[in-house]
Amino acid sequence: MNGAASVWFLFCLFIVIHHVICYQAWKKCGNVHITISADIHSYLELNWITDCQNENDVYPQYIDLYSRNIIDRDESTIPLVRVNASAFPGGYFKTKIKFRIPWLPGSWDYNVPFSRPEPGSHCFPYWIASIKREEVLDSKCFGIHPTWMNDNRATLGKKKIGTLILPGTHNSGSFSGIPPLFENYVLNQDRNIWTQLVYGVRYLDFRVGYYENEGYFINHDLVRVTKVLPLFREIRKFLEFAPKEIVILDFHRFPYPSNFNYTLHKNFANLVYQELGDLALAPESLQEGKGPAMNEIWARNKNLIICYSDRTTVSENNWLWDPLVQYWGNRKKVSELKNFLQRSIKERRITLNPLWALMAELTPQTLDLVFRTNNLRQLADDVNKHVTKWVRDEWSDEVNIVATDYFLGNDLINIAIDVNTR
Ligand SMILES: *[C@@H]1O[C@H](CO)[C@@H](O)[C@H](O)[C@H]1NC(C)=O
Ligand SMILES: *[C@@H]1O[C@H](CO)[C@@H](O)[C@H](O)[C@H]1NC(C)=O
């Protein structure tokens, strides 16, 4: 090998090693994150990565929960919770601390009347840390990421939207308005649309019903949940404060009435246009390949990609994107759902719309409704931890939108930010 070649060889070797080390840093043994349980109390849950097979891996001794950043800690900082990590080999511990539905930090609460929210991520007073002897291996707060796209515009700008991981919610509008007796089988979320967006969700899945004299509603199949107009106003208000965030609205199904006819579609599209049309990014030539780069979208000063499942309506409204494919398994068991999603990733069909969604939630079956077993909250708690691992450890290069129930139970927002910006 001559001199230039060996320099080149060493350079390449350095790049490869550097790549291997840096590539994996965000899913390292002992890394921690907080999630929120889907039950009615919204308990704080501690999670840590237990896959510790590399030579330099250090398995944590303790997993602690603090009320402030432990970088600033002194002798007197006592954890709210301390867990012996080896006693929980699954890397998961549910605390008895209720998170509930607190005010959003950084003046992002919907009800803060006069102040302008501050861009950037903000922490709730909950910090998780993994500890070995006195050393902190990893620590992170539980927080909101209302402007994560704009915060990372330098690294995201050249990336096409179809290549990003986008955290989403399933049946996004189904979060309240149901009598308690049925709630657990109808509601898929426990935070409103505004709050979902403020946490960092960027894909909203809507099913729409029409009721004579009352107008358009969000439906869960045949059950009417809530009026659509207030949700549109929450979306508009969020985008006023976060003008560089790109949000995908998917009007995915129109379950009621069963013959949701041409006129009903036409009137609904007009209503959406009247409320949000000025924010809509027209598909024009943007639907090719993996879709537009983030810079191209930002250059047009539009925030909303509005997808619509009825082709006739799309053909008559040049601001609507083609139907978006959702891979929905209708499964009740975690292992079956994983097989279904794995297969969907492999056999994915290419469509006009460059965006596509994995629906990573379990579905109760008819007998569950009869016997009141496996409600949506329980099923979300069963699957959300797995969804975190599947996307983080196996599918991070392959997925686009991933939509879940009770989305605070998984770590998809952090994973999306980490993976999209690496
Ligand atoms: C932590 O748990 C492991 C496994 O259950 C046990 O062997 C060990 O003694 C525990 N350590 C402490 C400090 O309690
Ligand atoms: C469409 O459905 C609505 C509501 O059911 C009904 O009032 C209307 O007459 C229907 N229009 C057509 C053209 O069938």
Side-chain angles (χ1 to χ4, degrees), residues 336-352:
E336 291 178 10
L337 177 70
K338 185 178 184 194
N339 288 340
F340 170 83
L341 295 176
Q342 185 92 54
R343 204 157 9 96
S344 305
I345 293 172
K346 273 218 191 80
E347 297 168 6
R348 187 169 83 78
R349 57 184 189 280
I350 304 304
T351 60
L352 282 176

Side-chain angles (χ1 to χ4, degrees), residues 316-333:
E316 291 177 0
N317 293 274
N318 64 8
W319 49 280
L320 288 176
W321 288 49
D322 276 288
L324 183 151
V325 174
Q326 290 183 343
Y327 292 94
W328 176 66
N330 193 16
R331 300 295 203 282
K332 189 173 85 174
K333 292 217 178 87

Side-chain angles (χ1 to χ4, degrees), residues 210 212 257 259 261-264:
Y210 174 77
E212 208 75 52
N259 62 334
N261 62 31
Y262 176 82
T263 318
L264 294 183

Side-chain angles (χ1 to χ4, degrees), residues 80-358:
L80 301 170
V81 176
R82 163 161 280 195
V83 176
N84 171 358
S86 336
F88 300 89
Y92 166 73
F93 180 82
K94 183 171 177 176
T95 74
K96 295 198 159 55
I97 299 177
K98 294 173 183 171
F99 182 66
R100 296 198 176 91
I101 304 195
W103 277 58
L104 300 171
S107 303
W108 279 97
D109 205 86
Y110 195 67
N111 301 312
V112 171
F114 302 116
S115 61
R116 225 188 143 68
E118 297 161 40
S121 298
H122 299 274
C123 294
F124 291 98
Y126 294 111
W127 292 75
I128 182 175
S130 52
I131 314 270
K132 173 83 177 191
R133 301 204 177 82
E134 282 304 290
E135 195 196 340
V136 176
L137 304 177
D138 186 36
S139 98
K140 195 189 272 158
C141 74
F142 187 67
I144 57 172
H145 307 283
T147 54
W148 67 265
M149 289 179 161
N150 189 48
D151 300 342
N152 295 291
R153 60 190 172 280
T155 42
L156 293 184
K158 291 208 175 79
K159 298 198 174 168
K160 292 179 187 274
I161 193 157
T163 67
L164 298 181
I165 298 184
L166 299 170
T169 46
H170 163 238
N171 231 340
S172 315
S174 195
F175 56 83
S176 73
I178 293 294
L181 183 62
F182 305 110
E183 202 181 81
N184 289 348
Y185 289 94
V186 175
L187 300 187
N188 302 85
Q189 308 297 336
D190 59 359
R191 319 277 141 169
N192 62 25
I193 295 293
W194 165 268
T195 306
Q196 294 177 29
L197 293 170
V198 166
Y199 271 98
V201 165
R202 292 295 174 264
Y203 167 82
L204 302 173
D205 163 44
F206 288 132
R207 291 94 199 279
V208 177
Y210 174 77
Y211 296 84
E212 208 75 52
N213 303 324
E214 291 182 273
Y216 293 93
F217 281 73
I218 294 296
N219 268 40
H220 186 139
D221 296 328
L222 300 182
V223 182
R224 176 168 112 169
V225 181
T226 188
K227 280 185 184 272
V228 292
L229 276 185
L231 308 192
F232 293 168
R233 308 237 155 102
E234 287 178 33
I235 293 168
R236 169 173 288 283
K237 182 168 165 185
F238 173 76
L239 293 173
E240 273 168 25
F241 290 127
K244 293 289 177 196
E245 301 307 294
I246 309 304
V247 176
I248 298 151
L249 300 190
D250 185 7
F251 294 106
H252 200 80
R253 292 197 336 162
F254 296 86
Y256 187 86
S258 58
N259 62 334
F260 202 99
N261 62 31
Y262 176 82
T263 318
L264 294 183
H265 275 300
K266 191 179 162 92
N267 292 344
F268 184 66
N270 286 344
L271 177 69
V272 176
Y273 191 77
Q274 181 189 314
E275 292 291 318
L276 299 170
D278 57 316
L279 301 171
L281 177 75
E284 295 169 6
S285 60
L286 299 177
Q287 291 198 88
E288 278 156 27
K290 298 274 185 188
M294 296 298 279
N295 280 337
E296 285 178 73
I297 304 178
W298 286 325
R300 298 188 192 208
N301 278 318
K302 303 285 180 187
N303 308 83
L304 287 179
I305 292 178
I306 307 181
C307 308
Y308 203 92
S309 69
D310 180 68
R311 284 181 198 284
T312 309
T313 312
V314 171
S315 69
E316 291 177 0
N317 293 274
N318 64 8
W319 49 280
L320 288 176
W321 288 49
D322 276 288
L324 183 151
V325 174
Q326 290 183 343
Y327 292 94
W328 176 66
N330 193 16
R331 300 295 203 282
K332 189 173 85 174
K333 292 217 178 87
V334 171
S335 58
E336 291 178 10
L337 177 70
K338 185 178 184 194
N339 288 340
F340 170 83
L341 295 176
Q342 185 92 54
R343 204 157 9 96
S344 305
I345 293 172
K346 273 218 191 80
E347 297 168 6
R348 187 169 83 78
R349 57 184 189 280
I350 304 304
T351 60
L352 282 176
N353 191 323
L355 302 163
W356 58 287
L358 282 186

